[in-house]
Coordinates of all heavy atoms in Angstrom, one line a residue:
N150 N 113.9 84.7 64.6 CA 115.0 85.6 65.0 C 115.1 85.8 66.5 O 116.0 86.5 66.9 CB 114.8 87.0 64.3 CG 114.7 86.9 62.8 OD1 115.6 86.8 62.1 ND2 113.4 86.9 62.3
G151 N 114.3 85.1 67.3 CA 114.3 85.4 68.7 C 115.6 84.9 69.3 O 116.3 84.0 68.8
P152 N 116.1 85.5 70.4 CA 115.4 86.6 71.1 C 115.6 87.9 70.3 O 116.7 88.1 69.7 CB 116.1 86.7 72.4 CG 117.4 86.0 72.3 CD 117.2 85.0 71.2
I153 N 114.5 88.7 70.2 CA 114.6 89.9 69.4 C 113.8 91.0 70.2 O 112.8 90.7 70.8 CB 113.9 89.6 68.0 CG1 113.9 90.9 67.1 CG2 112.5 89.0 68.1 CD1 113.6 90.6 65.7
T154 N 114.3 92.2 70.1 CA 113.6 93.3 70.9 C 112.3 93.7 70.2 O 112.2 93.6 69.0 CB 114.5 94.5 71.2 OG1 114.8 95.1 69.9 CG2 115.8 94.1 71.8
G155 N 111.4 94.3 71.0 CA 110.2 94.9 70.4 C 110.5 95.9 69.4 O 109.9 96.0 68.3
Q157 N 113.1 96.0 67.4 CA 113.6 95.4 66.1 C 112.4 94.8 65.4 O 112.3 94.8 64.2 CB 114.6 94.3 66.5 CG 115.9 94.9 66.9 CD 116.8 93.8 67.5 OE1 116.4 92.9 68.2 NE2 118.1 94.0 67.4
D183 N 107.4 84.7 75.0 CA 108.0 85.0 76.3 C 108.8 86.3 76.1 O 109.4 86.5 75.1 CB 108.9 83.9 76.7 CG 108.2 83.0 77.7 OD1 107.2 83.4 78.3 OD2 108.7 81.8 77.9
A184 N 108.8 87.1 77.2 CA 109.6 88.3 77.1 C 110.5 88.4 78.3 O 110.1 88.1 79.4 CB 108.7 89.5 77.1
R185 N 111.8 88.7 78.0 CA 112.8 88.8 79.1 C 113.4 90.2 79.1 O 113.8 90.6 78.0 CB 113.9 87.8 79.0 CG 113.5 86.4 79.1 CD 114.2 85.7 80.3 NE 113.7 84.3 80.4 CZ 114.2 83.3 79.7 NH1 115.3 83.4 79.0 NH2 113.7 82.1 79.9
P186 N 113.4 90.9 80.2 CA 114.0 92.3 80.2 C 115.4 92.2 79.6 O 116.1 91.3 80.0 CB 113.9 92.7 81.6 CG 113.1 91.7 82.3 CD 113.0 90.4 81.5
R187 N 115.7 93.2 78.8 CA 117.0 93.4 78.2 C 117.4 92.2 77.3 O 118.5 92.2 76.7 CB 118.1 93.6 79.3 CG 118.1 95.0 79.9 CD 119.2 95.2 80.9 NE 119.1 94.3 82.0 CZ 118.2 94.5 83.0 NH1 117.5 95.5 83.1 NH2 118.2 93.6 84.0
V188 N 116.6 91.3 77.1 CA 116.9 90.2 76.1 C 116.0 90.3 74.9 O 116.4 90.3 73.8 CB 116.7 88.8 76.8 CG1 117.0 87.7 75.8 CG2 117.6 88.6 78.0
G189 N 114.7 90.4 75.2 CA 113.7 90.5 74.1 C 112.7 89.4 74.1 O 112.5 88.7 75.1
Y190 N 112.0 89.3 73.0 CA 111.0 88.3 72.9 C 111.5 87.0 72.3 O 112.4 87.1 71.4 CB 109.9 88.9 72.0 CG 109.1 90.0 72.6 CD1 109.5 91.3 72.4 CD2 108.0 89.7 73.4 CE1 108.9 92.4 73.0 CE2 107.3 90.8 74.0 CZ 107.8 92.1 73.8 OH 107.1 93.1 74.4
F191 N 111.0 85.9 72.7 CA 111.3 84.7 72.1 C 110.1 83.8 72.1 O 109.2 83.9 72.9 CB 112.6 84.0 72.6 CG 112.5 83.7 74.1 CD1 112.0 82.5 74.6 CD2 112.9 84.7 75.0 CE1 112.0 82.3 76.0 CE2 112.9 84.5 76.4 CZ 112.4 83.3 76.9

Side-chain angles (χ1 to χ4, degrees):
N150 305 278
I153 179 169
T154 66
Q157 289 165 328
D183 260 341
R185 295 239 177 92
R187 286 183 297 282
V188 178
Y190 291 91
F191 55 94

